[in-house]
Amino acid sequence: MESMEIDGGKTPSKGVNAGEEEKEKTKPIVLLLMGVPGSGKSTFCDEVMRISSRLWARVCQDTINNGKAGTKIQCLSLAASALKDGKSVFIDRCNIDREQRADFLKLGGPQTEKHAVVLDLPAKLCISRSVKRTGHEGNLQGGRAAAVVNQMLSKKELPKLSEGFNRITFCHDERAVKEAVNVYGSLGPLDSLPSGCFGQKNSDTKIQQGIMKFLKKADPPGNTGSEPTQKFIPNEIPVKKGSVFQRTKMGQRPSDESVEKFEKRNEVDITSTSGAISADSIPTLAFPSISTADFQFNLEKASDIIVEKVEEFISRIGNARLVLVDLSHGSKILSLVKAKAAQKNIDSNKFFTFVGDITQLHSQGGLHCNVIANAANWRLKPGGGGVNAAIFSAAGSALEVATKERASSLRPGKCVIVPLPSSSPLFLREGVTHVIHVLGPNMNPLRPDCLKDDYIQGCRILREAYASLFEGFISIVKSHGVVSKLNCGKSDEGIPTNDDQKTKREAVYESDKNKKCKGSQQDLEQKSKDKKVSKAWSSWAQALYDVALHPDKHKNVVLEMSDDVLVMNDAYPKARQHLLVLARVDGLDSIADVSREHISLLKTMHAVGLKWVDKFLSEDKSLLFRLGYHSVPSMRQLHLHVISQDFNSIHLKNKKHWNSFNTPFFLDSVDVIKEVKEAGTVTLKDDKFLAMELRCHRCRSAHPNIPRLKSHISSCQAPFPAALLQNGRLVSSEGTS
DNA sequence: GTTCTAGAAC
DNA sequence: GTTCTAGAAC
């Protein structure tokens, strides 16, 4: 931890023979500060400039534009002109990743020295400074500052000499910052500083020094080979020193791809424990492709399912990561999944593929995964071959014993979570704390329970397998309390509503509504009186109408059908379970068209909905449901929504989605039936509710945006508001409430 | 209804 | 610089 001890250049080496090599010695310095907001970049510059006898210019992106934030280009041009004037330059911007730094490293060509000072201070400190600076005290602003800082931290790439730096100084605490200020502050116009990396932090300074020495020998300064002084140094998992040397020395990289991934995703944080996010502390699940090896599952289909399930779960895993692992570099499944995930824009920080041995991800690949999945056999026994054999063998008898305690067999599509005893070599060497055994569908006639070519069953089971695997991983992460705490803090709550916005929307509302109606104003008024306002339905809004009237054309989507109603999945489900029960009668476009004559139809729709709820509840008791109608639906044809109350879906994307199910705009089926019975029509709620602030449907707390709301509802366990608990509005496994 | 994307918000 | 929303097009 005594980071500055390694620093050989605390005092600047004074230029000798002044005059003779004047040009060499007066090379101006381009000094890139690197750090998140609040890390003290500007203060660093100010301090150095205050005490320095050298001419410095500070290029600060936050103020370059007449005191306001400017662009990178402006910074580059100002820096270039300062260099022309013979000044050394501070590049005072976050410079958080390599790409951000690259253009600044070209400044002034070889006639300038390129330095970096990394202000890698504890995230907490940066956040609190950043809050103070903006003068926004309080939870909300604090929460935002934290989010900004942590967002940046998750992207940070520490600078390396190979990028083109002559000297990099790492500061992990304020003492180190002070020392760096002194180093640069006491640098006279003719002085220079030794090249190299200084102040790197590591849990084992001796190893660090050893590697520094070794690398100096092996790679002369300036050689790109001197880049990764921190690359293969594990932070928390004990590794024999010898092995560290060996790997570095012999360049035994697992594969180009994995090293590339490793560099990109993990190296950054491997040496840093001060940031809020360290790669070793990010909960990570490594999993092999299920069923595609010995069980011969079609690779195209399997890759679709993997990507689909990852997409489904990724919003629920917080800051954790999912990694698909395959031993072979030319793995077809890996490349298929990689391409499909990229196509779907899945966050590559949260999900990526990795080439390597799943039992040696940390020691060989530098990737720390606290949980690994095993493509198990139904007996949960070692052997067979492939991943199963490898994992049981690497984990030793401890895994076998621990597995036996949990389960004796496994059905296809299911998984069993086994905490790995600390005596297991996988725990000790790789830092694996849990193994999740998963059994996928088998398409291989030579293995038990072969489905032959029944890919309908096969796909269903494979989906189930990944779902239970990811569900299992989430439960581990949650029980260990390592999912990002940022998003579920109390600071999210009690956010005032934006009244201005609300009134604006209300004003717009009427004209909008009229725009949607067809016919002249006169017609409209007449129709309004008759309660028969009909919309000019756009072509896209006719899809349900077409299904209801021509179900034979849509056999693939129809789950159940009678003369009166039809059941289908919502094409873009807004929750884990989201069905539509369609009325099949023509002319019943929406709930506005309903009258007493439709009471029995409404009851049928409700009963069919309830039947499906029962089915879903028998599969998952934890679900809760509401059945209801949108006051003003977007799609033509009366349809009842049957929706589970988790609202856990990637398709729930905006305020309208949320509010259409969680404000009075959503009319509970029981209330609709009652009102039609009593009054003959339904009182619609206008769509100003769609623009309301976002509130949790359970605890009613307000949230500033959809991601924050979703994060909150993923964990809110507050009881539902009293009104929902009455008259059977909410349906649970305990029956209707 | 969704997708796309400009620009606001952070 | 990135995230998020909201409006237009379909």
Side-chain angles (χ1 to χ4, degrees):
Chain A
M1 295 293 174
E2 296 297 307
S3 50
M4 297 307 280
E5 295 295 314
I6 318 162
D7 189 343
K10 269 187 220 171
T11 46
S13 58
K14 300 282 175 190
V16 272
N17 305 331
E20 224 173 73
E21 292 176 282
E22 186 90 345
K23 274 189 176 171
E24 274 301 304
K25 279 168 272 160
T26 52
K27 266 190 184 177
I29 297 172
V30 175
L31 172 53
L32 275 77
L33 277 305
M34 180 200 159
V36 296
S39 59
K41 299 184 293 293
S42 300
T43 312
F44 182 95
C45 302
D46 291 344
E47 292 280 289
V48 172
M49 287 164 91
R50 195 171 54 85
I51 59 175
S52 179
S53 58
R54 180 185 272 246
L55 271 178
W56 285 95
R58 175 174 160 237
V59 174
C60 174
Q61 188 159 343
D62 283 346
T63 54
I64 197 168
N65 202 4
N66 290 327
K68 288 182 184 166
T71 63
K72 184 173 155 186
I73 310 244
Q74 286 175 301
C75 293
L76 283 164
S77 110
L78 186 61
S81 74
L83 285 170
K84 268 191 192 153
D85 296 345
K87 293 176 184 167
S88 290
V89 185
F90 291 114
I91 309 297
D92 179 4
R93 60 202 289 281
C94 296
N95 295 312
I96 213 81
D97 60 33
R98 190 181 179 132
E99 203 186 324
Q100 284 296 325
R101 297 185 288 264
D103 289 333
F104 293 96
L105 284 160
K106 292 176 197 149
L107 280 170
Q111 290 312 308
T112 55
E113 288 260 320
K114 307 295 184 326
H115 291 198
V117 168
V118 180
L119 299 171
D120 192 14
L121 286 104
K124 254 190 188 173
L125 180 67
C126 301
I127 291 164
S128 74
R129 280 179 182 167
S130 146
V131 170
K132 273 179 196 152
R133 192 173 47 198
T134 51
H136 294 306
E137 296 281 5
N139 279 341
L140 178 62
Q141 296 298 338
R144 283 187 186 148
V148 169
V149 168
N150 280 290
Q151 160 66 19
M152 282 200 177
L153 279 171
S154 69
K155 297 221 158 52
K156 103 179 154 178
E157 265 179 288
L158 292 178
K160 291 185 283 194
L161 294 175
S162 63
E163 286 174 41
F165 287 107
N166 304 91
R167 179 185 169 98
I168 303 172
T169 310
F170 294 90
C171 304
H172 300 288
D173 54 35
E174 297 194 69
R175 191 182 60 92
V177 175
K178 221 172 191 178
E179 279 192 67
V181 165
N182 285 334
V183 168
Y184 281 96
S186 55
L187 202 59
L190 302 178
D191 299 329
S192 65
L193 288 169
S195 301
C197 281
F198 301 92
Q200 267 161 305
K201 187 178 184 177
N202 196 268
S203 53
D204 189 336
T205 311
K206 279 178 190 165
I207 292 182
Q208 179 69 16
Q209 280 174 316
I211 287 176
M212 294 286 284
K213 275 182 198 160
F214 169 74
L215 284 167
K216 270 181 188 156
K217 259 189 205 168
D219 305 296
N223 186 321
T224 49
S226 61
E227 87 190 63
T229 46
Q230 67 269 58
K231 186 162 293 168
F232 288 108
I233 308 160
N235 201 17
E236 292 166 15
I237 310 299
V239 173
K240 283 177 202 160
K241 289 174 192 172
S243 66
V244 173
F245 275 108
Q246 205 177 15
R247 238 190 336 275
T248 314
K249 194 171 166 183
M250 298 172 66
Q252 283 178 353
R253 296 177 169 203
S255 76
D256 285 352
E257 188 185 355
S258 60
V259 167
E260 182 193 308
K261 282 288 179 195
F262 178 33
E263 285 179 350
K264 213 166 156 191
R265 317 277 176 222
N266 312 307
E267 179 204 25
V268 174
D269 291 308
I270 290 290
T271 53
S272 167
T273 48
S274 60
I277 301 158
S278 133
D280 272 5
S281 67
I282 300 175
T284 305
L285 167 71
F287 63 100
S289 171
I290 307 296
S291 288
T292 47
D294 194 34
F295 283 179
Q296 300 178 355
F297 200 98
N298 175 283
L299 296 182
E300 276 292 344
K301 290 189 169 77
S303 56
D304 281 338
I305 291 172
I306 293 172
V307 174
E308 173 195 320
K309 285 292 153 187
V310 165
E311 194 180 20
E312 187 183 325
F313 276 84
I314 207 132
S315 63
R316 295 177 55 208
I317 61 170
N319 63 348
R321 306 180 298 185
L322 305 173
V323 186
L324 176 67
V325 177
D326 195 295
L327 196 54
S328 137
H329 192 237
S331 158
K332 178 100 187 283
I333 189 78
L334 236 52
S335 52
L336 282 171
V337 167
K338 211 168 157 184
K340 288 172 183 176
Q343 210 171 19
K344 291 202 166 191
N345 282 326
I346 292 179
D347 183 352
S348 59
N349 286 311
K350 286 184 162 189
F351 173 66
F352 52 92
T353 60
F354 196 91
V355 177
D357 179 347
I358 199 164
T359 66
Q360 299 184 65
L361 289 173
H362 191 274
S363 58
Q364 291 293 314
L367 177 70
H368 181 224
C369 300
N370 59 321
V371 183
I372 62 173
N374 176 32
N377 53 45
W378 75 274
R379 287 178 183 279
L380 291 168
K381 287 277 167 62
V387 171
N388 185 63
I391 289 180
F392 270 105
S393 150
S397 58
L399 176 63
E400 235 181 299
V401 174
T403 301
K404 238 179 232 168
E405 282 170 13
R406 303 262 154 176
S408 56
S409 68
L410 199 55
R411 280 190 294 135
K414 306 286 179 203
C415 76
V416 54
I417 302 170
V418 181
L420 200 57
S422 55
S423 58
S424 166
L426 261 190
F427 181 96
L428 292 168
R429 193 188 64 224
E430 306 295 330
V432 174
T433 61
H434 294 76
V435 173
I436 305 180
H437 298 294
V438 202
L439 182 59
N442 171 36
M443 314 312 265
N444 180 352
L446 302 174
R447 298 278 174 262
D449 299 326
C450 175
L451 293 168
K452 293 197 180 132
D453 276 333
D454 185 357
Y455 268 99
I456 294 179
Q457 281 291 324
C459 288
R460 189 184 59 78
I461 296 172
L462 193 61
R463 280 197 180 89
E464 193 188 345
Y466 281 110
S468 46
L469 169 62
F470 295 155
E471 209 56 82
F473 175 56
I474 289 172
S475 74
I476 294 170
V477 172
K478 280 195 175 154
S479 66
H480 286 68
V482 275
V483 164
S484 169
K485 287 165 189 110
L486 270 170
N487 294 329
C488 43
K490 283 176 188 140
S491 61
D492 281 351
E493 291 165 22
I495 290 156
T497 62
N498 188 339
D499 284 326
D500 286 345
Q501 199 183 3
K502 229 164 103 180
T503 23
K504 208 164 77 192
R505 296 207 170 279
E506 280 175 26
V508 173
Y509 165 64
E510 272 305 319
S511 59
D512 262 357
K513 200 163 97 178
N514 290 343
K515 210 164 60 189
K516 277 182 188 168
C517 303
K518 69 178 176 191
S520 68
Q521 189 61 32
Q522 214 178 358
D523 285 349
L524 192 77
E525 278 162 15
Q526 187 56 44
K527 281 179 176 176
S528 282
K529 275 178 202 160
D530 297 343
K531 273 239 162 198
K532 279 276 177 190
V533 180
S534 54
K535 277 185 184 180
W537 299 97
S538 313
S539 60
W540 50 260
Q542 310 272 5
L544 297 181
Y545 176 76
D546 202 49
V547 175
L549 296 191
H550 309 286
D552 43 312
K553 286 199 290 183
H554 305 275
K555 279 180 183 149
N556 51 337
V557 302
V558 177
L559 298 174
E560 182 192 338
M561 193 174 73
S562 69
D563 289 346
D564 304 317
V565 301
L566 177 157
V567 181
M568 61 183 281
N569 275 311
D570 191 297
Y572 297 88
K574 305 299 184 294
R576 282 202 227 178
Q577 298 292 357
H578 185 182
L579 289 181
L580 301 178
V581 181
L582 271 58
R584 291 198 58 210
V585 54
D586 195 0
L588 209 49
D589 289 350
S590 80
I591 199 72
D593 303 321
V594 164
S595 59
R596 281 206 176 86
E597 63 182 292
H598 302 113
I599 288 176
S600 87
L601 175 65
L602 293 175
K603 284 182 173 172
T604 305
M605 291 170 75
H606 188 81
V608 170
L610 277 182
K611 194 182 76 184
W612 281 84
V613 167
D614 278 347
K615 180 184 175 293
F616 293 139
L617 287 174
S618 72
E619 289 160 4
D620 186 347
K621 274 190 200 160
S622 69
L623 296 176
L624 294 158
F625 287 86
R626 274 178 86 186
L627 294 81
Y629 301 87
H630 283 156
S631 287
V632 185
S634 298
M635 306 288 280
R636 178 182 184 185
Q637 193 65 13
L638 180 67
H639 56 278
L640 171 71
H641 289 271
V642 177
I643 185 163
S644 62
Q645 297 297 294
D646 48 85
F647 295 104
N648 174 4
S649 165
I650 53 159
H651 300 295
L652 200 157
K653 291 176 176 167
N654 59 45
K655 191 175 251 187
K656 185 176 174 183
H657 290 156
W658 176 258
N659 283 338
S660 71
F661 290 102
N662 293 290
T663 65
F665 186 84
F666 186 80
L667 306 165
D668 285 286
S669 174
V670 284
D671 295 332
V672 167
I673 293 171
K674 189 164 172 252
E675 199 184 352
V676 175
K677 263 188 203 166
E678 289 168 1
T681 54
V682 184
T683 313
L684 304 182
K685 300 294 191 296
D686 60 24
D687 49 10
K688 77 176 178 194
F689 286 109
L690 297 178
M692 266 175 61
E693 79 278 16
L694 299 165
R695 284 190 177 273
C696 172
H697 57 325
R698 284 173 172 260
C699 70
R700 307 301 304 157
S701 61
H703 299 268
N705 55 43
I706 288 288
R708 296 271 284 269
L709 172 77
K710 289 178 88 168
S711 167
H712 168 83
I713 60 170
S714 71
S715 60
C716 181
Q717 290 300 313
F720 280 84
L724 280 188
L725 299 172
Q726 291 159 8
N727 304 336
R729 295 182 179 107
L730 196 66
V731 190
S732 72
S733 60
E734 316 285 309
T736 57
S737 34

